[in-house]
Amino acid sequence: MHSWTDTLRFAFQPVVNLTTGAVAGLEILARPETGDILAEARRDPELDCRLAVSAIRAAVRKETLLPLFVNVFAGTLSDLGGLPSLHDAVREAGRLPWEVTLDVCPPYTHVPQHSLLEAVAVLRGQGFRICADGVGDGDVPLRLLSDLAPGLVKLDASVLARPAVVRSMRTLCDEMGALLAVEGVETEGQCAVALAAGAQLAQGELFAPPARLPAADVYVPPRSPAEAPAPGSGPSVREFVRPAALLPATASAGQVRALLTGSPDVSGVLLVDARGVPVRSVHRSRFLLSMSGRYGHALYADRPAAKLGDPPRTVGVDATAWEVLDVVAVGERDRTSDDVAVVDENGRCVGVVRLADLVRALAETRVEEAAGLNPLTRLPGSDAITGEVDRRIAAGRAFALSWLDVDHFKQVNDGAGFAAGDELIRAVGRALHQAAADGAKVGHIGGDDFLVLADPDGLDPLVASVLDAPWSAGGRPVTLSLATVLCAPGSVSDHRQAAACLAPLKKAAKALSGASWVLGRAGVAGHETRRGSQPTPEPVYASASASASASASAPASASASASASASASASAGCGTAVERGAQGV
């Protein structure tokens, strides 16, 4: 009699780190030759559990060292609790629980949430990692997603058509301490959208299709400058984590040698205790050099590998790339090429980072940052500001976006010379940069135009520092105009809409005399004039000869005609004043 296992095979699909281009793990996918066993497993928790156990055993037969992703339905966890048979299978396979991530799959409808959360707590206590799968195309409630506290969230590729949703999910993941992945990526365009929106991991046909053998190589499209990390953001170490080669602390030197010689891509081995905490670090080159020396194999093969290791270098999973460099910098020089172990809040190893990955990414960040700086003021351009605006919108944070420029700057350049004009621009840039409070960002977007992004409660000191200061160029007094739009959460959808709200406010500020400040609110009509006054129209005088001629030809209508002419002239004079004030826009 045939069993369902007779017609079932498993395929492996890489989960790719979009920053390093490395394979972060393998998702094990059931591939039945006949029937729909997944539909049956959705209804039968015992069958679903047996599928997960079979997936682990299939990975063992392929002798892969990569972390594993195993699918389990939410209903299965709720019904069966901590899945003891899965834990036993992992132990029998010689793998450690924290090398296995459980992809908790929908549906969640009618699943008792309390039982599900209890089961997840048991599995997490055993060391398994938890991923919320199918988000965006499934039925997981946001409150439950927060309660699950997954270490990874997988979005369906269909959500890439709405980048704002992906950006919002990245913000939520950052708050939960989770990574964000997109599955089902098939095109380079989808990959570019995923990167730009903040996804850190991805999987799909683009990188490598599911295959019977674990993929050794994957294709990752090169990153464009627009997809590079935000300048000065201090990238998280999470973006650079590679899978770690782990062995028990009691492993012999012979076991380590077998692992290294059979896996040329492994740069080192971490020896961990029973809890998964790194206790020794074995560097590939130094270890093999010791083993290949005269009598090396005879001396060390059966001895503990820990004797040929070093104390591990570790950083927390929330560290930045710069903090990793600090750890490397204070150590011994001959260990600069050692992997740095990344550990979770319990000290367990979640992977390693390589110095080469960090240096390359940070160098790219610095190059992009330098390319975006204005050569006159050394302030970032509009991209840095608008990118931060979009991040604040996605995070639901209120903000104030301001546009500042010099009044009649062309006349300043024409009268005082371009050198004096340049010095004025540099001085204004320095004042804005010095006055910017924590969290505020200043950008020089060209000419005499500046953008300032700040928290609403940090506006007054910044405004006073620039509008109350006496400005001059070549001995000529100069005034500044400032327009600000306050954006409450939900009032604008992206930076383009915020800029559109700001444009009429700038025009209103330029129509005022003296140092001016106009403040408006996104989605609310009108604005408030905080500084500046309406210009006084110049009086219009009719010539004596024209008056005499008009009196002689049409005495009855002269008065009315002159009055209408004067009124029109006054109106034209006011319009001219506004236009003249807008020349510096």
Side-chain angles (χ1 to χ4, degrees):
M1 180 177 179
H2 289 289
S3 167
W4 58 269
T5 58
D6 295 334
T7 59
L8 181 65
R9 300 293 182 268
F10 289 93
F12 300 86
Q13 185 171 49
V15 179
V16 177
N17 184 315
L18 293 176
T19 299
T20 64
V23 178
L26 295 170
E27 181 172 354
I28 313 174
L29 304 170
R31 289 291 185 264
E33 295 181 3
T34 60
D36 189 353
I37 196 170
L38 294 181
E40 296 179 35
R42 187 180 298 116
R43 298 186 295 268
D44 184 349
E46 293 287 350
L47 174 58
D48 189 33
C49 183
R50 292 201 297 273
L51 278 176
V53 170
S54 297
I56 294 294
R57 291 171 178 166
V60 172
R61 289 194 294 271
K62 302 304 179 184
E63 297 183 348
T64 176
L65 295 174
L66 289 167
L68 306 175
F69 291 78
V70 179
N71 294 291
V72 180
F73 288 110
T76 298
L77 295 181
S78 176
D79 286 352
L80 301 184
L83 304 183
S85 59
L86 179 64
H87 185 268
D88 292 342
V90 170
R91 186 175 62 252
E92 291 167 5
R95 301 299 294 261
L96 301 170
W98 41 92
E99 295 179 276
V100 178
T101 297
L102 297 181
D103 285 5
V104 184
C105 303
Y108 290 85
T109 303
H110 307 308
V111 173
Q113 295 187 7
H114 181 70
S115 299
L116 173 61
L117 293 174
E118 283 187 344
V120 167
V122 170
L123 290 163
R124 186 178 281 120
Q126 293 172 347
F128 289 103
R129 306 196 182 283
I130 304 299
C131 165
D133 199 359
V135 176
D137 195 42
D139 59 349
V140 55
L142 283 177
R143 185 176 66 181
L144 176 59
L145 181 63
S146 176
D147 291 341
L148 282 173
L152 176 67
V153 172
K154 285 187 178 181
L155 294 181
D156 186 81
S158 62
V159 183
L160 293 175
R162 300 167 179 83
V165 174
V166 185
R167 290 194 295 269
S168 299
M169 286 304 305
R170 171 61 191 271
T171 300
L172 177 60
C173 286
D174 288 344
E175 292 289 333
M176 296 190 301
L179 293 175
L180 179 64
V182 178
E183 52 187 352
V185 176
E186 297 181 351
T187 67
E188 293 196 10
Q190 288 181 320
C191 182
V193 172
L195 273 167
Q200 296 143 313
L201 303 173
Q203 63 187 105
E205 296 280 341
L206 174 67
F207 311 103
R212 294 291 174 86
L213 293 176
D217 297 307
V218 294
Y219 169 73
V220 180
R223 300 183 74 160
S224 68
E227 297 160 357
S233 61
S236 168
V237 72
R238 294 172 183 267
E239 300 179 23
F240 306 95
V241 174
R242 291 175 177 264
L246 303 177
L247 283 176
T250 55
S252 68
Q255 290 175 295
V256 172
R257 183 177 183 276
L259 189 157
L260 292 175
T261 54
S263 306
D265 293 335
V266 173
S267 55
V269 176
L270 287 174
L271 306 179
V272 296
D273 64 16
R275 297 173 299 150
V277 176
V279 293
R280 301 294 282 179
S281 172
V282 179
H283 184 268
R284 180 187 188 91
S285 298
R286 293 197 299 273
F287 174 84
L288 292 179
L289 185 63
S290 298
M291 291 290 289
S292 61
R294 191 177 185 184
Y295 309 122
H297 188 272
L299 285 173
Y300 298 114
D302 297 326
R303 300 181 66 183
K307 294 185 177 296
L308 295 176
D310 300 289
R313 292 174 167 177
T314 61
V315 294
V317 73
D318 295 320
T320 67
W322 295 108
E323 291 173 310
V324 179
L325 291 185
D326 289 340
V327 170
V328 174
V330 299
E332 301 168 15
R333 288 189 177 183
D334 62 348
R335 295 192 62 194
T336 53
S337 61
D338 287 19
D339 294 341
V340 177
V342 181
V343 298
D344 62 14
E345 65 277 6
N346 297 313
R348 297 182 303 208
C349 180
V350 301
V352 296
V353 289
R354 294 180 180 176
L355 181 62
D357 290 337
L358 297 182
V359 171
R360 180 169 58 251
L362 293 175
E364 290 173 354
T365 299
R366 285 292 179 251
V367 169
E368 293 299 329
E369 185 175 359
L373 296 179
N374 187 286
L376 183 62
T377 58
R378 308 304 296 167
L379 291 173
S382 60
D383 286 348
I385 306 300
T386 56
E388 181 61 24
V389 167
D390 285 338
R391 283 187 282 274
R392 294 197 182 201
I393 291 172
R397 294 176 56 188
F399 62 89
L401 183 62
S402 299
W403 192 339
L404 178 139
D405 71 354
V406 178
D407 295 329
H408 315 301
F409 184 64
K410 185 177 184 303
Q411 298 176 17
V412 172
N413 266 348
D414 291 346
F418 72 86
D422 286 352
E423 182 52 42
L424 173 64
I425 295 301
R426 280 192 287 265
V428 171
R430 285 195 298 270
L432 284 172
H433 183 68
Q434 292 169 1
D438 290 342
K441 291 186 177 293
V442 178
H444 183 190
I445 61 176
D448 62 320
D449 291 318
F450 295 86
L451 280 179
V452 182
L453 176 64
D455 294 328
D457 56 4
L459 275 176
D460 288 333
L462 188 146
V463 171
S465 66
V466 290
L467 292 190
D468 290 346
W471 298 101
S472 63
R476 301 164 180 261
V478 173
T479 58
L480 308 180
S481 292
L482 178 69
T484 300
V485 59
L486 298 178
C487 298
S491 61
V492 291
S493 59
D494 58 21
H495 71 268
R496 296 175 184 84
Q497 192 173 356
C501 295
L502 190 56
L505 300 177
K506 182 189 177 185
K507 184 176 181 180
K510 299 299 291 185
L512 301 175
S513 294
S516 61
W517 180 23
V518 167
L519 184 143
R521 288 171 172 78
V524 179
H527 62 266
E528 177 185 353
T529 299
R530 294 284 186 95
R531 304 278 185 99
S533 58
Q534 294 292 340
T536 303
E538 298 179 2
V540 178
Y541 299 98
S543 65
S545 60
S547 297
S549 174
S551 297
S553 61
S557 61
S559 175
S561 177
S563 175
S565 175
S567 175
S569 298
S571 225
C574 182
T576 302
V578 172
E579 291 168 4
R580 191 164 53 244
Q583 288 177 356
V585 178

